[in-house]
Amino acid sequence: MPELLSLQEAQRLVLERAEPLAAEVVSVAEAAGRVLAEAALAQVDLPPFPSSAMDGYAVRAADTPGRLPVVARIAAGRPAPRALAAGEAMEISTGGVVPEGADAVIPVEYVVQRDNDIEIGDAVAVSVNVRPRGGDVRAGAVVCPAGVRVSVAQLGALAAAGLTELRCARRPRVAVLATGTELRQPGEPLGPGEIYESNGPMLAAAVAAEGAEVERLPPVEDDADAHRAALERGLEADVLVTTGGVSVGPHDLVRTIESELGVDEVFWGVAVKPGKPVAFGVRGRTLVFGLPGNPVSSLVGVELLVRPALRALQGLTEPLPRFDVGVLGASMRRTPTRDELARARTRIDGERVVLEPLPGQESHMIVRAAAADVLVLVPRGKGELAAGEAVRYLRLS
Ligand code: AMP
Ligand code: MG
């Protein structure tokens, strides 16, 4: 039996074929989760003027300690009426423009007010409580580089730096198709041999979480004509994700019909457990994933292959899933020929993340898998990994 493709090799073959999609203009307000196609540059200095960090009094540090007359009151959004002269103070609010001539702000709690004067007991250092113009970023400098997904903080930064529009890769259009005569929609009564169609909604949620626009095609029976019609439609998307029908049974039609429709298969079979019979191919620029029907196999396939492809299509510079390091809470048997993605729950123990493997590791057990918050990567090999051993894990969303 030829050796199966490794997971790393499969991911490389997928990413090689996932060219970033064309960019489009997106308003900053809509940009959370979108991937920047080019670096976003600050439009202004931030802060745009020397601004006060406190409610207090703008002074010259050299005039402290001492008693100073308050000659003006500066509200946020209104510049000082004139420069501050030696021996003067001006009341100022947080975010107010520190006037010319002032070089420090004394918080209101540190002064004693006497009529229209303030008394300052201690010497104040130059620059205290003054936020210099451009101290956060200078106009023209990079606020966010290309190839990152705009985070919540970045959205704030982009707006603060005066950006209104960004260039982002367009969202990939992803068609999701479930195959199998046994599948019924949730809500319908189950006849003999039937089960609820659960992979479609699960995969649709996973690809939507990755920023894709999802088209859910109606599930098809294990019938060649039904497959042909649905797959033809799905192949018009940027990415087609099917589930079921990629094994070796007589009713597994997906690969055969896709081949008739001009899909070039890149690989079929990867050394992972669960999810081995996964297929990947291309037709033109469309990426075509055939995930196995067992629900946990589909879950592993979408996390390890489909989501990375969607990130690469959106131009993310690091499209591969990010594994962290934790320690096993119990020993785990290894599989000789396949890397296993075991379902586990994390627990924090002091400085360590402990991974507790869950009972019910079979590929049909989606309810058991749903109790997991991570997939633990158990590298293929002989024997077992001992409790306490360091392993890598992938957080599930
Ligand atoms: P297949 O890959 O088509 O051989 O299916 C493998 C197993 O997964 C079978 O037990 C199917 O009934 C089940 N299965 C296939 N598709 C789905 C689906 N969309 N939702 C839930 N289970 C499925
Ligand atoms: Mg099937």
Side-chain angles (χ1 to χ4, degrees):
M1 205 170 60
E3 210 182 312
L4 278 171
L5 197 64
S6 72
L7 173 58
Q8 290 69 27
E9 188 62 8
Q11 287 172 323
R12 193 183 64 76
L13 291 170
V14 169
L15 293 181
E16 247 175 33
R17 288 162 179 83
E19 295 264 319
L21 299 168
E24 63 185 13
V25 174
V26 177
S27 77
V28 165
E30 307 278 302
R34 298 293 298 266
V35 181
L36 292 179
E38 59 189 31
L41 308 183
Q43 303 299 297
V44 292
D45 288 340
L46 194 66
F49 50 84
S51 96
S52 174
M54 291 283 174
D55 292 324
Y57 295 89
V59 297
R60 294 182 185 215
D63 291 339
T64 64
R67 177 164 176 154
L68 305 174
V70 179
V71 300
R73 300 188 190 279
I74 309 161
R78 300 259 178 275
R82 63 170 173 82
L84 184 102
E88 292 180 340
M90 288 183 184
E91 192 186 78
I92 191 165
S93 313
T94 304
V97 183
V98 176
E100 287 275 321
D103 58 11
V105 171
I106 308 178
V108 64
E109 308 87 285
Y110 293 149
V111 306
V112 180
Q113 284 153 356
R114 301 213 185 276
D115 303 322
N116 205 38
D117 290 357
I118 52 167
E119 247 174 46
I120 304 153
D122 296 317
V124 177
V126 168
S127 306
V128 163
N129 295 320
V130 178
R131 300 168 170 166
R133 173 174 180 161
D136 194 359
V137 73
R138 289 272 178 207
V142 173
V143 179
C144 297
V148 302
R149 209 185 267 293
V150 176
S151 69
V152 170
Q154 285 171 331
L155 193 79
L158 292 163
L163 286 124
T164 54
E165 290 183 331
L166 306 167
R167 287 182 64 72
C168 299
R170 76 172 167 78
R171 292 174 185 278
R173 292 191 321 273
V174 180
V176 174
L177 174 67
T179 71
T181 302
E182 73 279 26
L183 304 176
R184 283 292 155 272
Q185 291 302 321
E188 291 174 8
L190 290 181
E194 295 179 343
I195 59 166
Y196 288 123
E197 200 282 281
S198 61
N199 292 342
M202 178 179 75
L203 296 172
V207 302
E210 211 49 73
E213 278 172 21
V214 191
E215 184 190 5
R216 275 190 66 193
L217 301 172
V220 287
E221 298 195 355
D222 296 317
D223 165 84
D225 290 334
H227 270 55
R228 206 170 283 116
L231 291 169
E232 187 90 80
R233 168 119 179 258
L235 284 166
E236 287 164 19
D238 298 310
V239 179
L240 168 59
V241 181
T242 62
T243 135
V246 287
S247 298
V248 288
H251 305 291
D252 292 330
L253 300 169
V254 170
R255 296 171 57 233
T256 315
I257 308 290
E258 281 179 350
S259 156
E260 282 175 33
L261 294 174
V263 174
D264 284 328
E265 192 163 87
V266 177
F267 61 77
W268 174 53
V270 175
V272 287
K273 181 184 172 185
K276 179 176 96 172
V278 58
F280 171 68
V282 290
R283 190 180 81 170
R285 286 198 64 179
T286 301
L287 307 181
V288 185
F289 293 90
L291 304 182
N294 273 309
V296 188
S297 307
S298 264
L299 177 69
V300 165
V302 80
E303 292 293 334
L304 298 182
L305 297 171
V306 180
R307 289 179 72 151
L310 297 177
R311 294 185 206 119
L313 287 175
Q314 292 174 86
L316 262 182
T317 40
E318 291 183 21
L320 284 173
R322 212 194 94 150
F323 282 81
D324 293 318
V325 177
V327 296
L328 280 179
S331 66
M332 290 201 78
R333 176 155 296 285
R334 300 209 277 177
T335 302
T337 54
R338 290 189 278 159
D339 291 339
E340 184 169 357
L341 279 303
R343 279 70 75 202
R345 273 206 76 79
T346 55
R347 165 167 77 73
I348 304 294
D349 175 21
E351 306 288 289
R352 307 184 313 169
V353 176
V354 181
L355 307 155
E356 300 288 359
L358 292 170
Q361 295 280 340
E362 287 166 66
S363 62
H364 66 290
M365 292 185 161
I366 188 63
V367 173
R368 303 297 189 97
D373 59 350
V374 295
L375 295 176
V376 172
L377 179 64
V378 181
R380 63 187 134 156
K382 293 207 179 74
E384 54 176 39
L385 297 178
E389 234 176 289
V391 285
R392 298 195 305 142
Y393 67 91
L394 176 65
R395 201 158 276 286
L396 291 168
S397 52

